[in-house]
Amino acid sequence: MPLAPTTLKVSGNTAAESYPVLVGNGLLGHLPELLGPSVKKVLVIHPRALRTTGDVVRDELANVGLEALTAEIPDAEEGKHIQVASFCWEVLGKNDFTRSDAVISVGGGAVTDLAGFVAATWLRGVKVIHIPTSLLGMVDAAVGGKTGINTAEGKNLVGAFHPPAAVLADLDALATLPKNELVTGMAEIVKTGFIADERILELIEEDPEDAINPGSARLRELIERTIAVKVDVVSRDLKESGDREFLNYGHTLAHAIELAERYQMRHGAAVSIGLCFAAELGRSVGYTSDEIADRHVNILKSLGLPTTYRNDRWAALLDGMKRDKKARGNQLRFVVLEAIGKPRIYEVPDNSLLFAAYQEIGE
């Protein structure tokens, strides 16, 4: 008999900023109650690879009397462009969607970001519910209300904060994922372990293979613990004015790598490299112990994640990092660790320190 869903609650300053995150199996039946009685029309946005899943969600909604449509977008980061958002706006407009209607995202983090942005900008904001189908989407992108699209200048530089009405993290979706998708999604889980919950790291170290087994109790606990950390942080800091910045641990270099790779590298793989870089930077400036820095590499390698990147890309990476959202003027800022569960912001006084740290992960 399947376990009952776990409900984690984001508590914002207003009712519109507060919402449940359900984790469990077979969660589609909760959709009508979460949409509420005022919603008459729903647009289900899904990637090409999840056409069947998108159709299932649409049909579930049609069966309870809602007018449900689908909008198919390109897979992965190819879907996070202004032209794709414009296509979705066109569908909403031609079908007379009003402020009382809703958008549902079905897919990974890229779909969550795009659909959330579409919902945030249509009529200055309509209801959105996320149904993440990837591990990365469940533990990171779907929770928190950050939406965005990519431009030639960088990732997520255009976006909005738009909290969802709910998130349904249906664990059944993980059973169909390729192993590589599970592995890359683990990078965000590892990140959360280092910045907030050491038990996450211990669960992985005890059995790395079981940690990426889609049906295991261990993976469910890792997902719930990771979401719980994000729910807590987001509840305190919706718009990244304080502690929420710590969730970007490892992401400054990661986003620069994604830009350099023209978004052909999986986000989780880039984050894994970024975590190792942040650990080396913290070690080199005296904040992070040798033991903690080495633990990054050991855990990430045990999961099959990359820990090094090309030496010859430094100039491009530095340029990409200067566009980071956390930068203040010309000053680069990084999240580093003083201890497990004790992150801090480090303002880099000299880019030569970054270059020295990069040499430790270069290949």
Side-chain angles (χ1 to χ4, degrees), residues 87-206:
F87 159 69
C88 294
W89 292 325
E90 184 178 339
V91 174
L92 293 169
K94 286 183 175 178
N95 290 280
D96 301 317
F97 272 65
T98 70
R99 278 188 175 164
S100 62
D101 296 321
V103 170
I104 292 177
S105 74
V106 177
V111 181
T112 298
D113 286 350
L114 182 280
F117 180 70
V118 168
T121 49
W122 182 252
L123 301 177
R124 298 188 179 92
V126 298
K127 183 178 290 187
V128 63
I129 290 179
H130 297 310
I131 306 178
T133 59
S134 70
L135 181 56
L136 177 64
M138 290 180 187
V139 301
D140 186 44
V143 182
K146 287 169 75 171
T147 76
I149 56 174
N150 301 334
T151 67
E153 287 69 40
K155 183 171 181 176
N156 295 333
L157 295 179
V158 176
F161 288 98
H162 187 61
V167 177
L168 300 182
D170 196 325
L171 302 176
D172 290 342
L174 300 179
T176 61
L177 287 181
K179 183 177 180 180
N180 183 54
E181 285 291 313
L182 284 169
V183 169
T184 55
M186 289 297 297
E188 293 286 355
I189 293 177
V190 172
K191 173 206 75 178
T192 306
F194 277 110
I195 64 171
D197 181 359
E198 188 171 12
R199 181 59 186 149
I200 288 174
L201 305 179
E202 294 167 350
L203 284 164
I204 296 169
E205 289 168 326
E206 288 166 8

Side-chain angles (χ1 to χ4, degrees), residues 29-81:
H30 294 274
L31 261 182
E33 66 189 80
L34 294 170
L35 284 166
S38 65
V39 174
K40 306 302 179 190
K41 297 179 183 178
V42 181
L43 179 64
V44 180
I45 299 177
H46 64 83
R48 189 174 297 117
L50 291 175
R51 181 180 298 167
T52 301
T53 307
D55 288 347
V56 167
V57 174
R58 179 200 61 201
D59 293 345
E60 284 274 337
L61 296 172
N63 288 339
V64 296
L66 291 167
E67 183 178 338
L69 308 167
T70 59
E72 183 173 291
I73 65 173
D75 296 328
E77 296 292 326
E78 290 302 311
K80 286 180 60 175
H81 290 286

Side-chain angles (χ1 to χ4, degrees), residues 249 275-290 293 334-338 344 346 353 357:
Y249 184 51
L275 290 172
C276 294
F277 174 72
E280 290 298 342
L281 178 62
R283 173 169 24 202
S284 69
V285 297
Y287 286 121
T288 308
S289 70
D290 289 343
F334 283 80
V335 181
V336 296
L337 289 184
E338 292 184 343
R344 62 162 293 153
Y346 173 63
L353 294 170

